[in-house]
Amino acid sequence: MGGTRGIGRAVAELLGSHGAGVVVNGRDGALAIEVAERIPGAVAHPGSPSVPAVADALVDTCVRTFDRVDILVNCAGTGALGAESILNVTSARFRDLLDAHLLTTFETCRAAAPLMVRQGSGAIVNTSSFAFLGDYGGTGYPAGKGAVNSLTLAIAAELREHGVRSNVVCPGAKTRLSSGAEYEEHITALNRRGLLDDVSFQGALDAAPPEYVAPTYAYLASDLADDVTGQIFIAAGGFVGRFERQTPSIVAFRDHRDEAPWTVDEIAEQVR
């Protein structure tokens, strides 16, 4: 899903070069057909998978064409830049951002997962972003990407027993969403405000092309990763990394069966 431009297109082309049957999805129908024609044996299915019927039809197209669904790659999204600050974002814009990042991912996973379970195998690779950390501000974009992470980890936990894997990639690449004067102004503003360090600032302005990101997706989709699930990876240029699983650390503890609740002052002392 989201295979007509940028990272999604690079992933579709790489998977096709390795012999995978590819269904190219995108909102632009003509472009979806054009990209599919460049990939041997690929077919196009345009539309937004955030619409349940489109997601169902997309998966049905894959089954009719290739008899099964072994891989689902979700790689769609949209940028909001400065228009999504909590100081100026509209409710409609926030919902649009969640729709573009979370609902598209959910609907295709919902449509494909039961088929993968019946097969006893399958690989889901979703797309998130460093922005899920909240370090760069924003609203709908980090919220949507953070939700994609949580959804992916929950799917991994639920479907592990059925042989279905689910992982996330946080990519960094030069695409139409990370190019142009408006993008550069936004990145410069983040750096000036101290929300983006100098190294990350330079990397954002000089990112590698999508072809450097695609192999991580292909790896996670392949049998080489048959024991890898529930993980959040990073792929940016020549850098491949992984976020460690978040675990809680104890700030304070007392047994409720023997002691009174913490007072506010006691909590403040423990946290300090």
Side-chain angles (χ1 to χ4, degrees), residues 24-115:
V24 178
N25 169 254
R27 295 174 185 265
D28 185 330
L31 185 57
I33 293 171
E34 177 186 328
V35 173
E37 289 176 344
R38 297 171 62 91
I39 302 173
V43 296
H45 189 95
S48 172
S50 64
V51 178
V54 174
D56 290 333
L58 175 61
V59 172
D60 288 344
T61 295
C62 185
V63 173
R64 288 198 312 272
T65 307
F66 303 111
D67 296 326
R68 52 191 291 129
V69 179
D70 293 305
I71 300 166
L72 170 63
V73 176
N74 281 303
C75 204
T78 183
L81 303 181
E84 70 152 331
S85 166
I86 193 62
L87 300 176
N88 57 29
V89 69
T90 65
S91 297
R93 182 55 174 156
F94 182 81
R95 291 189 182 94
D96 286 343
L97 288 164
L98 290 186
D99 181 86
H101 298 109
L102 175 59
L103 289 184
T104 52
T105 301
F106 162 73
E107 291 295 352
T108 53
C109 289
R110 173 197 58 76
L115 299 179

Side-chain angles (χ1 to χ4, degrees), residues 3-6 9-20 22-24 30-44 211:
T4 54
R5 295 182 173 90
R9 178 169 180 167
V11 172
E13 291 175 343
L14 182 59
L15 290 175
S17 73
H18 282 275
V22 176
V23 180
V24 178
L31 185 57
I33 293 171
E34 177 186 328
V35 173
E37 289 176 344
R38 297 171 62 91
I39 302 173
V43 296
E211 289 74 19

